[in-house]
C-alpha cells in the first residue's frame, strides 16, 4: 500500500562526446573541490543525512519469521558504519529504526536506500492503526510500480509514530547506506551523478565506435575482442549502478537480477581472449594459452549459471574468476617483461591498474575491506576508464605496422578515384540530352551521381506524340565496370522498343540480353509506359523501389509489382500493373537514394518522409516539384545534394 504519491524527476543519461581527460578533470573537481551539502537554515530543503548508524539489524537465516514477531524474536545489533557491507548474505536482513531516532519528517520526507542490486526491499510501518503497512521495492518490483521510481530504492515517510522495519533479501553481495533526504535534493544529486556517468558511458561509447572502425579497417581480431570486452564491461557497469534496470528493463525481474553476473562473465570471456591473442600466448607460452581457454570456458559457464537462476553462485564466480585472471596475467607479464617483449610493456602499464582495482573490489565484495558509497560507485568507473584507454593505446601500437603500407594505399585510392571520375564522365555523357516531348504530359527529371561515380541511369523511347516508355536503372558496384554495365543496359533497352507498351516484356527482354554479361554485378530497374491519349499507365519493376501514383484528389497509391533483379537469373517473371489515369494525376519513380536520405541523428527520410512531402505539395506546379523535393531532402539531411554519398535520381510525370 502506498502512503503517498510522489514522482522524482530524473535527468536522463546524456552520453557526452568528451575526451577521457575531461572526464577525469571533472570527476576530480567534484571529489576534491565540491563542498558537502550541510544544513544552512531551517528552511533549507536541499539537505540529506546519512542515518545508517541509527538503525539496528538482525539476520533471519531461514527468512521465515513473520513480521508480527520480528521485534520480539530478533536480536538486533547496532550498525557502526555509514556504508555497511554484509557481503554475500543468506537469509533476510531486518533493519529497525526506533521513533526516538526519526529525523524531522518535514525536512526529510524520503528514505533512500543507496544500493542498486537488491532483490527485495519491504518497508514496514504503522499508520493510524496496529497493523503494519508495507511498501515494496527491489528488483522484484517493476520500477514504475514502486512508490517512487528511482535507480536506488526510495520510500516516502513522514507519518510514522512507531518503529520502522525494513526487510532486505538479495542474492548479490549486499552493501548499502540509509539516507534521509527530500525530493529537491534527490533531484539535484541525480542530475550531478547522471551527468558524470553520462561522461563515463559516453567515453566508453566513443572508445567502442573508434576501435570498431579501426577493427574493420585492419581486420585484427584483437580489436573485436577488445570491443566485446569494453561493451560488456559497460553493460555490467550499467547493471551495477542501477541504470540497466531503470532505463532498459524496468519491468523485467529476471534481467535486472542477472545483469551483473551475466554481463561481467561475458566481459571476462572477451578479456581472456583479448589477453591471450594480444600477447600471442599460443606461440610464446602455449600452456598459459590453454589455461586461458579454460578460463574463457569457465566465464561462459558462469554466464550460463546466471541465466539458469544461480545469481548468488554466478556473482561469487565472477569475483573469483576476476581475481584468478588478474593473478595469472600478473605472472605472465613478469615473464614477458623479463624477456623484454615490447607488447608486454604496453599491456603491463594498462594491467597494473586493473589488477589493483579487481583485488580491491573482490575484497570489498567479500566484506574483508570496509566499503563506502564512493568506492562502490566510482572505483570501477574511474579505474576501468583509465585501464580501457591504456589498452587502447596498446592496441594503437599495432597501427605502427601499417605505416609502411600507407603510401601504397594512398596511391591505390588516388588511382581508384581517377577511375571513378572517368566512369562518371562516361555515364553522364551517355544520358539522354533532351527530355521527352509528349502531348498533355509535363516531365521533371533529376539525376545526381555520387561524388566520384554514379550507378543510376535512365533512357526513354517515344514512338509518337502520345506514347512514352521510360526506364530508370541502378547498377550495383562502381567504377568503370559499372559504367560498362550501364552502357549495356541502354543497349538492352533499345532492343525492346517493339514491346514499349508492356513493362513485363521490356524488363524480361532486358534480362535476357544482360544475363551472363554483368556478373557479379546486377541491375535494378523501374519501367513506366504511359499513353496520354488512352490515359493508360503501366508499371513494372525489377528489384527497384516502388512507384507512387498521386490522384488529382490527393490520394496516393503505392505501386509495387513483383519482379527480380536483372542480370542474375536466366529467366525472370515480371508483374505489371495497369491504371487508368486522369488529368492532374501525378506519377513518381525514383532510385533508393531518395528514400535512404539520412538525418545526422541516423533517422532515415524513408517512405514516410516522401509521402508526407507528396501530401504537403500536392498543389505546387509541376515545374517546381523538382526544386521543392531537393530542398526538402537537403533540409532533412543537413547537407547539400552534391555532397551526398549515394546517387539521387527521380522522374516526375503529370498529366495536363
Amino acid at each position: 500500500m502506498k502512503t503517498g504519491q510522489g514522482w522524482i524527476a530524473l535527468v536522463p543519461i546524456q552520453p557526452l562526446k568528451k575526451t577521457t581527460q575531461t572526464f577525469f578533470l571533472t570527476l576530480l573537481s567534484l571529489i576534491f573541490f565540491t563542498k558537502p551539502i550541510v544544513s544552512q537554515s531551517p528552511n533549507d530543503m536541499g539537505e540529506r543525512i546519512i542515518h545508517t548508524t541509527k538503525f539496528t539489524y538482525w539476520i533471519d537465516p531461514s527468512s521465515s519469521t513473520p513480521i508480527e514477531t520480528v521485534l520480539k524474536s530478533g536480536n538486533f545489533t547496532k550498525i557502526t558504519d555509514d556504508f555497511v557491507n554484509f557481503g554475500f548474505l543468506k537469509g533476510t536482513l531486518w533493519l529497525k529504526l526506533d521513533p526516538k531516532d526519526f529525523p524531522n519528517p518535514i525536512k526529510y520526507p524520503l528514505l533512500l536506500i543507496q544500493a542498486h542490486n537488491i532483490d527485495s526491499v519491504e518497508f514496514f510501518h504503522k499508520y493510524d492503526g496496529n497493523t503494519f503497512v508495507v511498501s515494496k521495492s527491489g528488483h522484484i518490483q517493476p520500477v514504475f510500480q514502486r512508490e517512487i521510481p528511482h535507480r536506488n530504492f526510495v520510500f516516502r515517510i513522514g507519518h510514522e509514530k512507531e518503529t520502522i522495519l525494513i526487510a532486505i533479501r538479495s542474492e548479490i553481495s549486499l552493501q548499502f547506506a540509509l539516507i534521509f533526504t527530500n525530493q529537491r535534493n534527490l533531484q539535484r544529486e541525480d542530475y550531478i551523478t547522471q551527468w558524470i556517468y553520462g561522461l563515463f558511458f559516453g567515453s566508453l561509447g566513443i572508445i567502442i565506435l573508434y576501435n570498431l572502425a579501426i577493427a574493420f579497417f585492419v581486420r585484427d581480431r584483437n580489436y573485436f575482442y577488445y570491443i566485446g570486452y569494453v561493451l560488456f564491461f559497460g553493460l555490467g557497469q550499467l547493471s551495477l549502478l542501477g541504470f540497466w534496470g531503470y532505463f532498459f528493463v524496468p519491468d523485467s525481474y529476471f534481467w535486472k537480477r542477472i545483469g551483473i553476473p551475466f554481463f561481467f562473465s561475458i566481459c571476462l570471456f572477451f578479456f581472456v581472449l583479448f589477453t591471450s591473442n594480444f600477447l600471442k600466448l599460443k606461440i610464446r607460452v602455449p600452456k598459459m594459452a590453454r589455461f586461458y581457454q579454460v578460463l574463457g570456458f569457465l566465464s561462459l559457464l558462469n554466464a550460463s549459471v546466471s541465466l539458469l537462476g544461480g545469481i548468488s553462485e554466478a556473482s561469487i564466480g565472477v569475483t573469483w574468476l576476476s581475481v584468478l585472471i588478474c593473478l595469472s596475467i600478473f605472472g605472465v607479464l613478469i615473464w614477458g617483461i623479463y624477456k623484454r617483449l615490447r607488447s608486454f610493456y604496453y599491456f603491463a602499464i594498462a594491467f597494473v591498474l586493473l589488477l589493483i582495482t579487481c583485488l580491491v573490489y573482490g575484497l570489498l565484495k567479500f566484506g574483508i575491506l570496509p566499503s563506502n558509497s564512493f568506492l562502490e560507485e566510482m572505483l570501477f568507473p574511474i579505474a576501468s576508464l583509465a585501464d580501457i584507454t591504456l589498452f587502447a593505446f596498446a592496441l594503437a601500437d599495432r597501427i605502427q605496422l601499417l605505416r609502411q603500407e600507407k603510401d601504397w594505399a594512398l596511391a591505390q585510392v588516388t588511382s581508384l578515384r581517377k577511375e571513378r571520375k572517368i566512369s562518371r564522365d562516361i555515364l553522364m555523357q551517355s544520358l539522354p540530352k533532351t527530355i521527352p516531348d509528349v502531348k498533355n504530359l509535363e516531365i521533371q527529371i533529376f539525376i545526381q551521381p555520387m561524388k566520384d561515380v554514379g550507378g543510376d541511369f535512365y533512357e526513354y523511347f517515344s514512338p509518337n506524340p502520345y506514347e512514352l516508355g521510360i526506364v530508370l536503372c541502378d547498377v550495383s558496384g562502381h567504377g568503370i565496370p559499372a559504367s560498362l554495365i550501364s552502357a549495356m543496359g541502354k543497349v538492352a533497352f533499345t532492343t525492346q522498343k517493339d514491346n514499349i507498351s508492356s513493362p513485363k516484356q521490356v524488363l524480361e527482354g532486358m534480362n535476357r540480353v544482360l544475363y551472363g554479361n554483368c556478373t557479379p554485378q546486377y541491375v535494378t530497374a523501374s519501367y513506366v509506359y504511359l499513353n496520354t491519349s488512352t490515359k493508360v499507365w503501366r508499371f513494372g519493376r525489377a528489384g527497384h523501389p516502388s512507384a507512387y501514383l498521386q490522384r488529382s484528389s490527393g490520394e496516393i497509391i503505392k505501386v509495387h509489382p513483383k519482379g527480380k533483379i536483372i542480370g542474375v537469373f536466366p529467366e525472370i517473371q515480371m508483374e505489371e500493373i495497369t491504371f487508368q489515369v486522369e488529368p492532374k494525376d501525378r506519377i513518381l519513380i525514383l532510385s533508393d537514394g531518395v528514400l535512404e536520405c539520412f538525418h545526422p541523428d541516423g533517422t532515415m527520410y524513408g517512405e514516410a518522409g516522401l509521402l508526407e512531402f507528396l501530401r504537403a505539395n500536392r498543389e505546387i506546379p509541376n515545374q517546381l516539384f523538382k526544386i521543392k523535393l531537393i530542398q526538402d531532402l537537403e533540409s532533412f539531411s543537413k547537407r547539400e545534394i552534391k555532397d551526398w554519398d549515394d546517387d539521387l535520381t527521380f522522374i516526375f510525370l503529370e498529366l495536363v
Side-chain angles (χ1 to χ4, degrees):
M1 174 184 293
K2 295 185 179 179
T3 61
Q5 298 295 325
W7 294 88
I8 300 301
L10 296 176
V11 179
I13 300 175
Q14 298 292 336
L16 306 175
K17 293 185 178 179
K18 301 291 187 182
T19 62
T20 304
Q21 292 179 340
T22 303
F23 172 80
F24 284 116
L25 291 175
T26 304
L27 189 58
L28 289 173
S29 67
L30 287 169
I31 295 170
F32 295 110
F33 301 108
T34 302
K35 294 182 179 180
I37 302 170
V38 296
S39 176
Q40 300 294 327
S41 70
N43 296 322
D44 181 10
M45 297 304 294
E47 295 178 341
R48 72 198 296 270
I49 56 172
I50 300 176
H51 222 55
T52 313
T53 56
K54 299 296 183 181
F55 283 77
T56 55
Y57 76 93
W58 171 61
I59 299 174
D60 177 12
S62 63
S63 298
S64 60
T65 305
I67 178 63
E68 292 78 10
T69 60
V70 167
L71 291 175
K72 298 178 182 179
S73 305
N75 183 19
F76 283 85
T77 305
K78 184 176 179 59
I79 296 177
T80 57
D81 296 320
D82 285 334
F83 195 90
V84 64
N85 185 355
F86 286 96
F88 291 93
L89 181 68
K90 297 295 184 181
T92 300
L93 174 69
W94 286 95
L95 303 173
K96 181 180 73 171
L97 182 65
D98 293 328
K100 63 183 177 62
D101 294 317
F102 289 174
N104 185 341
I106 298 176
K107 294 181 66 175
Y108 308 108
L110 301 178
L111 171 60
L112 167 68
I113 301 178
Q114 187 173 328
H116 311 300
N117 297 285
I118 298 178
D119 291 336
S120 173
V121 184
E122 294 179 313
F123 178 71
F124 296 92
H125 58 114
K126 292 184 178 180
Y127 178 66
D128 292 341
N130 296 320
T131 304
F132 277 103
V133 176
V134 60
S135 297
K136 296 183 178 181
S137 189
H139 288 334
I140 198 170
Q141 191 78 357
V143 171
F144 295 102
Q145 292 181 18
R146 299 175 187 173
E147 185 175 8
I148 297 178
H150 196 270
R151 69 185 180 100
N152 295 120
F153 311 105
V154 186
F155 299 95
R156 186 174 297 280
I157 60 174
H159 304 288
E160 292 73 16
K161 298 178 181 179
E162 298 186 30
T163 300
I164 291 175
L165 290 174
I166 301 174
I168 295 178
R169 288 180 289 274
S170 183
E171 294 189 56
I172 298 177
S173 183
L174 183 61
Q175 296 85 28
F176 60 86
L178 298 164
I179 299 168
F180 283 91
T181 184
N182 53 62
Q183 183 167 325
R184 176 182 172 182
N185 188 70
L186 193 63
Q187 290 174 320
R188 178 167 54 188
E189 292 184 355
D190 284 343
Y191 179 83
I192 293 173
T193 56
Q194 293 185 46
W195 188 84
I196 294 173
Y197 289 129
L199 286 176
F200 171 66
F201 289 110
S203 300
L204 290 185
I206 292 171
I207 289 172
I208 290 172
L209 292 176
Y210 174 75
N211 285 280
L212 186 62
I214 296 177
F216 280 109
F217 177 74
V218 301
R219 302 293 179 182
D220 188 336
R221 70 175 62 181
N222 286 287
Y223 279 94
F224 293 103
Y225 294 151
Y226 173 75
I227 291 166
Y229 158 58
V230 177
L231 174 62
F232 282 96
F233 177 83
L235 292 173
Q237 283 296 318
L238 284 172
S239 297
L240 189 66
L241 298 171
F243 296 119
W244 169 255
Y246 184 84
F247 287 106
F248 298 96
V249 288
D251 299 325
S252 175
Y253 176 51
F254 175 78
W255 280 107
K256 279 186 286 190
R257 292 180 71 230
I258 74 165
I260 292 177
F262 177 75
F263 289 135
F264 279 120
S265 295
I266 302 300
C267 169
L268 292 176
F269 167 73
F270 279 107
F271 182 71
V272 295
L273 289 179
F274 168 68
T275 302
S276 181
N277 280 272
F278 183 85
L279 299 179
K280 299 181 180 179
L281 296 183
K282 191 172 184 179
I283 300 174
R284 293 166 172 165
V285 193
K287 291 183 178 180
M288 187 58 67
R290 288 192 290 272
F291 176 65
Y292 276 10
Q293 289 177 347
V294 173
L295 289 178
F297 171 77
L298 291 177
S299 299
L300 291 179
L301 181 62
N302 200 61
S304 301
V305 171
S306 68
L307 288 173
L308 294 174
I311 307 301
S312 178
E313 294 79 4
S315 300
I316 296 173
V318 166
T319 303
W320 280 113
L321 282 170
S322 299
V323 174
L324 188 60
I325 290 170
C326 288
L327 291 176
S328 63
I329 293 177
F330 185 71
V332 170
L333 290 176
I334 292 176
W335 175 86
I337 293 173
Y338 174 76
K339 294 290 186 178
R340 296 184 178 181
L341 300 172
R342 177 178 173 179
S343 59
F344 280 70
Y345 284 96
Y346 284 101
F347 200 91
I349 296 172
F351 178 72
V352 168
L353 181 59
L354 180 64
L355 173 64
I356 296 172
T357 304
C358 288
L359 289 175
V360 171
Y361 196 73
L363 294 175
L364 288 174
K365 287 301 175 184
F366 281 108
I368 299 173
L369 290 180
S371 186
N372 58 61
S373 59
F374 173 78
L375 284 176
E376 284 295 319
E377 292 211 356
M378 301 308 300
L379 174 65
F380 251 118
I382 294 174
S384 61
L385 188 56
D387 170 70
I388 287 169
T389 304
L390 291 171
F391 279 134
F393 288 149
L395 277 172
D397 184 59
R398 290 178 171 270
I399 299 178
Q400 301 296 328
L401 301 176
L402 302 175
R403 286 187 173 181
Q404 295 178 352
E405 303 176 15
K406 182 178 179 180
D407 292 338
W408 177 84
L410 288 174
Q412 290 293 103
V413 170
T414 302
S415 175
L416 181 60
R417 286 180 176 175
K418 289 180 179 179
E419 176 186 328
R420 288 185 173 182
K421 186 177 184 305
I422 293 171
S423 303
R424 183 180 186 276
D425 293 340
I426 293 172
L427 177 63
M428 295 304 292
Q429 289 297 322
S430 66
L431 293 176
K433 301 299 186 292
T434 60
I435 293 178
D437 184 14
V438 180
K439 288 187 177 182
N440 302 322
L441 184 66
E442 292 184 352
I443 303 175
Q444 293 288 322
I445 298 177
F446 180 83
I447 180 166
Q448 173 69 49
M450 61 185 292
K451 295 177 184 178
D452 294 324
V453 64
D456 291 357
F457 72 91
Y458 74 95
E459 188 58 88
Y460 69 89
F461 178 59
S462 180
N464 58 64
Y466 297 98
E467 289 186 284
L468 172 67
I470 188 166
V471 66
L472 172 59
C473 299
D474 185 1
V475 180
S476 66
H478 301 293
I480 292 178
S483 296
L484 294 175
I485 300 300
S486 299
M488 287 191 289
K490 294 168 72 69
V491 172
F493 175 69
T494 61
T495 65
Q496 304 303 312
K497 290 183 178 180
D498 292 340
N499 302 319
I500 180 176
S501 63
S502 173
K504 172 182 173 64
Q505 294 183 31
V506 168
L507 295 175
E508 290 177 357
M510 289 180 65
N511 180 73
R512 285 190 290 271
V513 174
L514 291 176
Y515 174 70
N517 294 315
C518 57
T519 305
Q521 293 169 290
Y522 60 88
V523 178
T524 66
S526 287
Y527 179 76
V528 169
Y529 167 75
L530 183 61
N531 189 316
T532 60
S533 176
T534 61
K535 304 296 190 300
V536 170
W537 171 49
R538 295 192 181 99
F539 177 68
R541 53 176 288 279
H544 211 68
S546 308
Y548 298 89
L549 169 62
Q550 187 172 27
R551 298 293 192 181
S552 58
S553 63
E555 177 192 7
I556 300 175
I557 302 172
K558 177 182 177 181
V559 187
H560 192 80
K562 297 178 181 179
K564 294 182 178 180
I565 56 177
I566 292 174
V568 176
F569 308 100
E571 291 293 336
I572 56 176
Q573 295 295 320
M574 294 294 178
E575 179 185 9
E576 64 179 48
I577 296 179
T578 302
F579 285 91
Q580 285 294 130
V581 289
E582 301 295 337
K584 300 302 180 181
D585 285 352
R586 293 176 165 183
I587 298 165
L588 176 65
I589 61 173
L590 44 84
S591 66
D592 56 9
V594 176
L595 301 176
E596 295 176 3
C597 165
F598 286 92
H599 188 274
D601 67 4
T603 306
M604 191 168 72
Y605 187 76
E607 186 175 70
L610 179 64
L611 292 177
E612 181 181 349
F613 172 82
L614 292 175
R615 293 188 189 101
N617 294 275
R618 176 63 187 88
E619 302 300 329
I620 64 170
N622 180 278
Q623 61 271 20
L624 295 180
F625 181 89
K626 177 169 65 176
I627 298 173
K628 283 284 188 179
L629 180 54
I630 293 171
Q631 288 176 346
D632 195 56
L633 292 172
E634 289 183 331
S635 175
F636 182 83
S637 66
K638 309 299 182 185
R639 291 190 301 167
E640 294 184 16
I641 294 294
K642 62 183 180 65
D643 296 326
W644 280 25
D645 297 323
D646 197 3
D647 304 329
L648 177 65
T649 307
F650 60 84
I651 299 173
F652 183 66
L653 312 173
E654 181 176 7
L655 272 73
V656 295

